[in-house]
Amino acid sequence: MLSIYERHPRYSLFSAFLLLTTLLYLASQHSPPSSPFYPTSSDPTLQTRLVTSERIYQKLLADRKKLVKKFGPTPEKIDLFPANVAPWPAYTVWDFFPAAFNCPHEIERIGALGDGGKWVCGLSRVQHKRNCVVYSVGINHESSFEAGILSKTTGCQIWGYDFSVQKFGPEIPSAMSHRAHFKPWGLAGVNAHGPNDENKMYTLASLMELNKHTHIDILKIDIEGWEFETLSALIKTYVDAGEPLPFGQLQLEIHIWSKNFAQYLQWWEMLENAGLRPFWTEPNLVYQNYNKGGSSDLAEYSFLNIKGANEFIGTTDNNPPDPPAHRK
């Protein structure tokens, strides 16, 4: 006796279509939402966490506009550090720029608990990566951060730059010195050097070209106020070329000495538009302590780059393929 499916093939086709539709629907309920920022990841939960973090961050941007309107109502009317008498409730510039992006991995302080250490998102992602590249600009005789990176990874090498000193700090043991490369040069928005070839200054693109690097996994910058000019020039180069920034994350000390609120807001929004999202911040209380009565105009920030491809938002493999070449 023939079954109903054998006698009526249309029932077979309809049943197959119904089963396929059901499976596709169920799969869609477990897939992360799409995003214009993040590359396809072998870890779908990572994609979900990143998209959720971005949704939270976008709400922060709306809240910032409301805060500007409340205390401004325009950026030009806002003081970085208003006097105690008004307005109330009190605020400082840092309240407009919280580290509201959630790192999708572990967050660990690398280096000293005091001045010199930095907060890093997902160091485990590059712990055993071949040819892991770290740049550290601004040494000042203290290299606990660099020593921590070297001791916690197997493949990371560090390129350090600071024209005010001649070598890394004493924290780097001799057994690891072959993975640490130092030059007494500075980082700036343009290439330049003083008389007798002193105080050499290079753009990040030039340093990467000299080192034959196309990508930096972790970039640390502490250049005493020159971060505004340097990052403005750097970001413009890549944004104008339609390319993502050439690093995975950024540890940056910000010195807001010579800016007003409107200028700082414009610069910060440039960082955000380029894909940088702050996941950690802390004021430099050592500086504030030594300048009692002064304002808290130094702050440490750590940023994740959510555009392009890097180990912190992409593949989970310990030895991922080399990232695509970026603009020199």
Side-chain angles (χ1 to χ4, degrees):
M1 181 177 179
L2 295 176
S3 68
I4 187 172
Y5 298 105
E6 292 174 312
R7 288 184 284 116
H8 300 284
R10 286 178 297 176
Y11 287 115
S12 299
L13 293 174
F14 176 76
S15 298
F17 173 78
L18 183 63
L19 177 60
L20 178 61
T21 302
T22 302
L23 291 174
L24 290 174
Y25 172 78
L26 292 175
S28 69
Q29 302 308 299
H30 293 85
S31 299
S34 60
S35 167
F37 294 125
Y38 316 116
T40 302
S41 170
S42 59
D43 179 1
T45 60
L46 170 58
Q47 181 85 356
T48 301
R49 291 195 299 272
L50 287 166
V51 172
T52 300
S53 294
E54 180 64 10
R55 186 180 301 120
I56 293 171
Y57 197 80
Q58 289 300 317
K59 180 182 182 301
L60 164 76
L61 300 186
D63 291 340
R64 182 197 296 156
K65 292 180 179 179
K66 295 177 183 177
L67 200 61
V68 169
K69 185 176 181 179
K70 175 181 178 179
F71 289 122
T74 64
E76 291 74 18
K77 298 293 184 179
I78 295 178
D79 292 328
L80 295 176
F81 302 97
N84 293 332
V85 293
W88 193 261
Y91 72 87
T92 74
V93 59
W94 307 121
D95 293 314
F96 292 81
F97 307 97
F101 194 85
N102 296 316
C103 162
H105 314 293
E106 81 284 355
I107 299 178
E108 182 179 4
R109 187 173 181 85
I110 307 298
L113 289 179
D115 195 39
K118 307 293 179 183
W119 293 96
V120 175
C121 169
L123 185 62
S124 60
R125 302 281 293 187
V126 296
Q127 184 177 10
H128 302 298
K129 178 189 173 184
R130 295 188 301 266
N131 301 321
C132 162
V133 174
V134 178
Y135 276 34
S136 179
V137 185
I139 306 298
N140 194 25
H141 305 289
E142 211 287 339
S143 294
S144 62
F145 169 75
E146 294 81 6
I149 292 287
L150 293 173
S151 66
K152 292 176 178 293
T153 63
T154 59
C156 288
Q157 298 195 46
I158 296 178
W159 280 259
Y161 300 98
D162 189 331
F163 64 81
S164 69
V165 297
Q166 294 300 312
K167 60 182 179 180
F168 283 110
E171 292 81 5
I172 297 180
S174 58
M176 296 181 181
S177 60
H178 65 287
R179 293 166 55 199
H181 318 279
F182 179 85
K183 290 290 186 182
W185 302 340
L187 181 68
V190 295
N191 296 325
H193 58 85
N196 302 319
D197 214 28
E198 297 174 343
N199 296 336
K200 286 186 176 181
M201 308 297 288
Y202 291 94
T203 65
L204 185 66
S206 294
L207 291 176
M208 293 176 68
E209 186 174 11
L210 288 171
N211 296 325
K212 295 181 172 56
H213 293 150
T214 58
H215 184 77
I216 300 169
D217 293 290
I218 297 174
L219 172 61
K220 187 210 86 174
I221 296 178
D222 183 357
I223 51 177
E224 306 302 315
W226 290 101
E227 63 270 12
F228 294 101
E229 172 194 324
T230 299
L231 285 174
S232 295
L234 166 69
I235 289 174
K236 186 178 187 304
T237 299
Y238 288 90
V239 169
D240 287 352
E243 299 174 358
L245 299 179
F247 49 84
Q249 64 179 281
L250 169 67
Q251 281 67 39
L252 177 69
E253 182 165 55
I254 297 176
H255 311 72
I256 201 167
W257 294 321
S258 60
K259 300 294 178 184
N260 59 43
F261 183 87
Q263 291 170 333
Y264 185 74
L265 175 63
Q266 183 180 24
W267 180 81
W268 181 274
E269 289 179 338
M270 176 192 66
L271 304 184
E272 291 174 326
N273 292 334
L276 296 180
R277 296 290 182 270
F279 64 84
W280 196 276
T281 186
E282 61 185 17
N284 188 325
L285 297 179
V286 172
Y287 171 83
Q288 186 178 8
N289 182 58
Y290 279 108
N291 294 274
K292 291 180 173 64
S295 59
S296 304
D297 44 10
L298 269 65
E300 301 273 0
Y301 276 90
S302 295
F303 298 84
L304 195 65
N305 181 9
I306 67 168
K307 289 188 177 181
N310 63 68
E311 316 315 326
F312 308 105
I313 64 171
T315 176
T316 58
D317 297 336
N318 284 332
N319 291 300
D322 291 334
H326 294 306
R327 176 184 171 93
K328 290 291 192 299

